[in-house]
Amino acid sequence: MKDKETEGHSLRVTDITMRIADEMGIKGEDLVHIRRGALLHDIGKMGIPDSILLKPGKLTEEEWDIMKRIPLCH
């Protein structure tokens, strides 16, 4: 939602995940849950301020500490 790079990344991750699931023989409703999980794997980015998420340069140590919270922000 915040930027096109995240959208493209999520779509690529979903595509690769679904190919792997297919190769593993996963079928039916399990595929629906796997697809949703892949699409939402970075949902925690919504809780990261744009000033950090979209920063063009290197992040400070404090900013990295905030980025590391992404898995906890959902």
Side-chain angles (χ1 to χ4, degrees):
M1 224 164 84
K2 290 187 174 191
D3 65 86
K4 292 295 178 187
E5 287 183 39
T6 299
E7 177 185 7
H9 167 73
S10 291
L11 293 175
R12 287 187 301 277
V13 167
T14 300
D15 180 56
I16 292 167
T17 300
M18 296 306 289
R19 287 194 232 169
I20 292 169
D22 183 58
E23 288 291 322
M24 293 174 65
I26 298 172
K27 303 286 182 212
E29 195 169 320
D30 287 339
L31 285 176
V32 173
H33 297 301
I34 289 170
R35 183 174 187 279
R36 287 178 183 155
L39 279 170
L40 297 174
H41 80 279
D42 272 342
I43 192 88
K45 284 185 176 181
M46 291 178 66
I48 304 298
D50 284 349
S51 61
I52 295 173
L53 190 61
L54 303 176
K55 184 176 178 179
K58 286 187 169 188
L59 299 179
T60 65
E61 188 173 324
E62 293 80 19
E63 290 168 334
W64 271 116
D65 287 341
I66 293 169
M67 287 294 285
K68 291 175 188 173
R69 296 182 200 156
I70 288 175
L72 307 173
C73 292
H74 59 292

